[in-house]
Amino acid sequence: MSFYREMIAAGFGGQGIMLLGQIVAHAAMNEGKNVMWIPSYGPEMRGGTANCSVIVSDGEIASPLVSFPDVLVIMNQPSLTKFVNRLKEGGTLIYNADLVTYDNPRDDINIVKVNANSIALELGNERVANIAVLGVLAEVTDMASADALKETVQEILGAKKAHLLEINMKAFEKGQEVGKQYVAQA
Amino acid sequence: MSNRVLMKGNEAFAEAAVQAGCKYFFGYPITPQNEIPEYMSKRLPEVGGVYLQAESEVAGINMIFGAAGTGFRTLISSSSPGISLMSEGISYIAAAELPCVIINVMRGGPGLGGILPAQSDYFQATKGGGHGDYRLLVLAPGSLQEATEFIMMAFDLTEFYRNPVMILTDGFMGQMMEAVEFKKVKLGYDIPDVKEWAVGYMAERGKRTLLKSLSLDPEVLEQHNQKLQKKYRLMEEKEVRFESANVDDAEIVIAAYGTTARIAKSAVKKLRDQGIKAGIIRPQSLYPFPYKPFSELPESVKHVLVVEMSCGQMVEDVELGVSRKVPVSFYGRCGGMAPSVEEIEQAAKKALG
Amino acid sequence: MPEVKIFERPKCMTDVSTHYCPGCTHGIVHRLVAEAIDEFGIQEKTVGVAPVGCAVLMYNYINTDMYEAAHGRAPAVATGCKRVRPDLTVFTYQGDGDLASIGVAEIVHAANRGENITVIFINNAIYGMTGGQMAPTTLLKQKTTTCPYGRDPKVNGYPIRIAEMLATLEAPGYIARVTVARPKYVIKAKEAIKKAFQTQIEEKGFSLVEVLSTCPTNWGMRPAEALKWLEENMIPYYPLGEFKLPD
């Protein structure tokens, strides 16, 4: 079976969900994969939940609609409710434990908790929480390699927000630590 | 590989036009195509072009009429309700035989409808929209890569036929990101020098040009119509484009275009995995419509299923092609809903009984 | 020996009779536009945009490159042309139904952008081509086929003073109202039309000349009566003059 991975990332508008998905797609493209990123768009973008889907494949990407993802990134409570039962059996859930509680979790999936807001606040800027999550994703999924993801963050920030590069890199590494710990225990 | 860039559909459409040498864009904001005017407003000044935000879609298409009359490459984009407003102007442009490329990033209707993707402007795009006997050459890309290639090709087509070309796509394609590589696409058609008909070359031509659609003499107007019809016949001969897969041994063929064809392709794969012989025909040109693959279906085909993000529009052309040789059924979602892979799978199974 | 001047057809007018009714002033205004183009020596670099209305066939009379626009959209067509080819002189020629009714959005925004085009606006207070219906510029109490009891402001509002309205905008370079009801006015009208083209040639932005005109056929008057009616009724409501001059 050729490589085909589907991901949904969801949270509040403003949590950097769209960017997170784009970085994953971008990194995978840089690794030679075919990629697709698609946002939910519309009224829900303002204040409500926002989500995007990413598909990474070494073959053709046909349907752009992701019904049952392999990877689910959840940044707020409503998104967990909406998406968690759609995660494929054996899939990986990464959720922001600062804003999300998950009682009675499914036992047929991998569950990775990350206190993304705490990590970001400790570093001094809550807005890098999404990059901390990306660091986790780098370790616990095969959407794209950690190196490619890191390079993409550098590429994207390097162009416009060079002064934020350092804090983002730190957030990414903190996320990686969380991810590595999970992998070690699993 | 290294030339691939990750771009949002709307931005890729715009960049493809720029790379095709289009320097003039007149637009008006409407979701879900806003990234096209936004991109152009930034990009066109870099290439010495003009971006102008019109006061309305009505004004925008008439600015295109004026700009197209100069012989330079022009682009306009909108989404469904905006295209309705432009329809009068499009009819004038077709009648005056001017080249321009129009992108419709469709959303759900009718009326103001919604802002989510749909394919409910098929009739409008392929059967008229505005008044009078005119046609648009309509291309429906199935990926962002194909969209960039179709848009580049569209500028050659519109100049060759001197007829507006519409890129019919939807909110999914406009909003999604994919890796694209901007490859130069040249049709190699013999395109006459614009100085033969465009404004501003009276001295070179030795006479003035009239860019008009009015003919009060019915015989003259009939002749003009016949001239247009001749172009449409030529398009039907030369510009039919489609892609098909797994049709040769298929018992069921799914017909779909654009985003829906992608979803259908995944459904075909799933059906094949289950031993059901499914195939797909994806029209890439909607006008001229590829009737032939439907009139020449192999004996194995027992059923054709048309899937659209509408209440059933392209299905009428498929029925014309199939000509009652096998049953044709329809599955559609609309209003901004998309058919899922699973739904298409079910519809195919139901059709086969 | 005094210089001999021969009165001739302007170079950029075609050698055909117009379709206009007897006593209609379109012919005079066409001639003034053609003379202005000739005098600037820009025939081959001028593009006209004909409206929908009586002047829809203007392209048969003025011998420059020409578009024929949809109803009311001439300023948008002119905009598209001028933005691509700023080296060309672009003018529209529009009636009151075309410009002041269906095309209000286009004229206001072209003016407001300071679009470097010239607009010749024929105000004869009625729809001519369609047979004498009420125009936005129809005077109060004036009878037309769609206000047979006379225009009532409670039903149809007041006649629009386009020149004054557009002169409130920042961008326009030149806005004037003239008439061709008598030879002395025609001389002034010619000056205004030339100034309008001059404004465009000097890239000083949008220029518009409103020309108070007659429609004897639809007003139901003899040509001479129509000219008198114009002077006595239209000029008091639509004062002549220049409302905006280039800096």
Side-chain angles (χ1 to χ4, degrees):
Chain A
M1 173 82 187
S2 60
F3 186 85
Y4 199 92
R5 292 285 180 279
E6 297 173 296
M7 171 183 120
I8 288 176
F12 289 122
Q15 283 183 312
I17 282 295
M18 298 295 173
L19 181 66
L20 183 147
Q22 285 175 12
I23 293 170
V24 173
H26 206 125
M29 177 187 76
N30 286 348
E31 292 185 300
K33 296 286 205 306
N34 290 320
V35 299
M36 199 268 344
W37 171 93
I38 198 165
S40 63
Y41 67 93
E44 74 261 35
M45 276 169 75
R46 308 276 181 261
T49 59
N51 71 77
C52 64
S53 305
V54 178
I55 303 176
V56 174
S57 170
D58 53 13
E60 184 192 6
I61 295 171
S63 174
L65 308 181
V66 176
S67 304
F68 307 104
D70 303 284
V71 175
L72 186 60
V73 175
I74 293 295
M75 294 292 275
N76 70 357
Q77 198 67 43
S79 299
L80 182 89
T81 314
K82 186 170 175 185
F83 290 110
V84 75
N85 289 328
R86 282 164 54 176
L87 183 62
K88 258 182 213 161
E89 203 182 307
T92 300
L93 166 71
I94 303 168
Y95 73 88
N96 182 359
D98 283 327
L99 298 176
V100 179
T101 51
Y102 186 21
D103 302 324
N104 308 315
R106 283 171 59 178
D107 57 8
D108 58 346
I109 56 172
N110 307 307
I111 299 173
V112 191
K113 290 193 250 181
V114 52
N115 293 93
N117 287 63
S118 307
I119 291 173
L121 274 175
E122 237 167 75
L123 292 170
N125 187 343
E126 203 170 3
R127 298 189 60 181
V128 299
N130 60 336
I131 303 299
V133 173
L134 193 69
V136 180
L137 181 140
E139 298 300 325
V140 303
T141 77
D142 56 0
M143 296 294 294
S145 74
D147 287 346
L149 287 166
K150 220 169 162 176
E151 275 166 29
T152 302
V153 173
Q154 282 168 342
E155 201 180 309
I156 288 173
L157 292 173
K160 278 188 186 162
K161 295 178 180 170
H163 62 288
L164 292 174
L165 192 56
E166 199 188 325
I167 188 172
N168 275 285
M169 283 298 110
K170 279 187 183 155
F172 189 88
E173 281 154 18
K174 288 272 180 192
Q176 278 184 295
E177 282 170 27
V178 175
K180 279 176 180 158
Q181 227 168 11
Y182 173 85
V183 174
Q185 284 166 2
Chain B
M1 282 286 171
S2 57
N3 293 327
R4 295 196 312 168
V5 280
L6 186 67
M7 279 184 103
K8 208 173 201 190
N10 284 331
E11 294 179 344
F13 305 159
E15 180 59 27
V18 173
Q19 298 215 12
C22 169
K23 294 204 289 186
Y24 303 99
F25 182 92
F26 302 86
Y28 190 82
I30 182 170
T31 306
Q33 62 85 53
N34 292 318
E35 293 85 356
I36 304 177
E38 283 166 359
Y39 187 89
M40 285 306 211
S41 68
K42 198 163 169 234
R43 183 78 169 94
L44 286 178
E46 292 173 4
V47 295
V50 173
Y51 164 82
L52 185 63
Q53 182 160 321
E55 59 269 29
S56 65
E57 287 93 346
V58 175
I61 193 68
N62 283 286
M63 289 174 184
I64 287 286
F65 183 24
T70 67
F72 285 85
R73 294 189 157 187
T74 59
L75 176 73
I76 193 164
S77 64
S78 192
S79 179
S80 310
I83 298 289
S84 291
L85 282 170
M86 289 181 190
S87 295
E88 179 200 39
I90 295 172
S91 170
Y92 275 66
I93 292 169
E97 299 191 85
L98 296 180
C100 71
V101 177
I102 302 157
I103 301 177
N104 180 0
V105 184
M106 288 184 281
R107 56 188 253 182
L112 195 50
I115 61 171
L116 294 175
Q119 295 179 317
S120 43
D121 304 345
Y122 179 92
F123 285 151
Q124 185 193 47
T126 63
K127 312 286 181 192
H131 59 282
D133 276 320
Y134 75 93
R135 296 284 190 163
L136 302 177
L137 206 160
V138 185
L139 299 171
S143 68
L144 298 194
Q145 180 62 40
E146 191 174 77
T148 64
E149 290 165 21
F150 279 6
I151 287 166
M152 290 192 202
M153 187 171 77
F155 282 98
D156 281 356
L157 289 170
T158 193
E159 282 174 2
F160 179 74
Y161 290 102
R162 279 179 60 192
N163 193 75
V165 175
M166 179 175 276
I167 304 293
L168 193 66
T169 182
D170 63 65
F172 280 125
M173 299 272 282
Q175 293 298 318
M176 72 165 61
M177 290 177 108
E178 285 189 306
V180 293
E181 186 180 350
F182 294 97
K183 300 175 192 162
K184 288 276 170 231
V185 180
K186 278 268 157 209
L187 272 184
Y189 286 5
D190 191 13
I191 295 166
D193 188 349
V194 298
K195 286 177 186 164
E196 289 173 19
W197 55 266
V199 298
Y201 303 102
M202 191 173 172
E204 292 89 329
R205 198 165 37 224
K207 59 174 186 179
R208 52 96 167 254
T209 192
L210 289 181
L211 304 177
K212 68 177 186 78
S213 55
L214 181 70
S215 299
L216 291 173
D217 180 340
E219 285 179 22
V220 174
L221 184 52
E222 187 178 49
Q223 277 165 19
H224 182 61
N225 266 287
Q226 283 162 350
K227 184 186 171 204
L228 296 180
Q229 290 300 316
K230 225 172 128 186
K231 292 201 297 191
Y232 305 144
R233 297 298 87 75
L234 187 64
M235 288 179 199
E236 285 164 5
E237 197 183 299
K238 288 181 67 156
E239 309 305 339
V240 172
R241 290 176 171 84
F242 67 94
E243 186 191 73
S244 63
N246 301 103
V247 171
D248 290 347
D249 66 339
E251 47 188 329
I252 182 160
V253 165
I254 300 177
Y257 71 96
T259 297
T260 312
R262 297 174 64 139
I263 306 168
K265 232 181 228 182
S266 294
V268 166
K269 192 172 174 294
K270 283 204 156 183
L271 289 163
R272 286 263 165 187
D273 288 346
Q274 294 161 54
I276 297 167
K277 287 178 181 164
I280 184 166
I281 297 174
R282 173 172 76 93
Q284 294 166 301
S285 60
L286 301 182
Y287 182 84
F289 187 81
Y291 292 108
K292 219 172 158 190
F294 294 104
S295 64
E296 295 176 354
L297 287 170
E299 293 294 317
S300 59
V301 176
K302 293 194 202 96
H303 204 107
V304 175
L305 170 67
V306 183
V307 185
E308 298 176 60
M309 287 192 286
S310 80
C311 298
Q313 299 194 13
M314 186 180 77
V315 61
E316 294 188 6
D317 276 322
V318 173
E319 278 169 341
L320 275 176
V322 172
S323 297
R324 297 171 189 268
K325 275 182 225 146
V326 294
V328 174
S329 57
F330 173 77
Y331 183 78
R333 296 294 301 267
C334 63
M337 301 297 291
S340 68
V341 173
E342 296 72 25
E343 285 166 8
I344 298 174
E345 229 182 295
Q346 288 312 312
K349 285 177 187 165
K350 199 178 148 200
L352 286 173
Chain C
M1 205 177 119
E3 194 194 341
V4 178
K5 280 193 175 175
I6 299 171
F7 184 81
E8 334 170 86
R9 181 166 47 81
K11 205 175 93 201
C12 77
M13 281 203 97
T14 54
D15 189 10
V16 294
S17 305
T18 71
H19 69 291
Y20 297 117
C21 304
C24 169
T25 47
H26 266 307
I28 300 173
V29 185
H30 278 21
R31 184 182 171 96
L32 298 181
V33 170
E35 282 178 0
I37 295 167
D38 279 0
E39 285 165 30
F40 287 114
I42 51 174
Q43 181 189 8
E44 288 171 335
K45 289 287 173 193
T46 296
V47 182
V49 186
V52 169
C54 285
V56 67
L57 294 171
M58 175 186 73
Y59 55 75
N60 283 338
Y61 313 130
I62 296 187
N63 188 18
T64 62
D65 281 348
M66 197 78 77
Y67 293 90
E68 192 281 295
H71 201 17
R73 316 299 169 220
V77 174
T79 296
C81 178
K82 184 74 181 184
R83 290 284 177 139
V84 180
R85 290 290 305 270
D87 58 315
L88 302 176
T89 299
V90 182
F91 74 97
T92 73
Y93 186 107
Q94 307 172 254
D96 43 36
D98 194 82
L99 183 144
S101 187
I102 196 169
V104 161
E106 283 75 12
I107 195 65
V108 168
H109 286 279
N112 191 47
R113 288 190 301 266
E115 213 59 68
N116 195 31
I117 59 171
T118 297
V119 175
I120 308 298
F121 166 44
I122 304 299
N123 176 0
N124 60 8
I126 207 155
Y127 277 70
M129 179 71 122
T130 45
Q133 295 81 9
M134 188 190 67
T137 50
T138 293
L139 295 178
L140 293 183
K141 294 184 184 160
Q142 187 186 338
K143 289 178 181 172
T144 73
T145 59
T146 52
C147 52
Y149 307 110
R151 181 173 182 164
D152 177 355
K154 281 189 216 133
V155 180
N156 298 113
Y158 292 82
I160 299 180
R161 294 186 182 95
I162 288 290
E164 288 87 336
M165 190 175 93
L166 295 181
T168 65
L169 301 171
E170 288 295 322
Y174 181 73
I175 293 178
R177 183 183 290 116
V178 297
T179 184
V180 288
R182 280 170 189 257
K184 65 170 185 182
Y185 294 131
V186 174
I187 292 164
K188 287 254 183 197
K190 170 75 180 292
E191 282 169 17
I193 288 171
K194 279 198 80 172
K195 266 193 199 173
F197 277 102
Q198 187 73 39
T199 303
Q200 179 176 174
I201 290 163
E202 290 173 4
E203 297 178 19
K204 289 184 173 164
F206 182 85
S207 52
L208 177 140
V209 179
E210 176 173 341
V211 188
L212 301 182
S213 303
T214 60
C215 184
T217 300
N218 288 304
W219 289 359
M221 296 177 198
R222 279 194 282 270
E225 278 174 7
L227 292 169
K228 194 163 170 258
W229 189 87
L230 185 160
E231 268 193 286
E232 287 172 1
N233 296 280
M234 289 184 75
I235 294 178
Y237 189 85
Y238 296 115
L240 307 179
E242 291 178 320
F243 299 91
K244 197 134 201 214
L245 291 166
D247 300 328

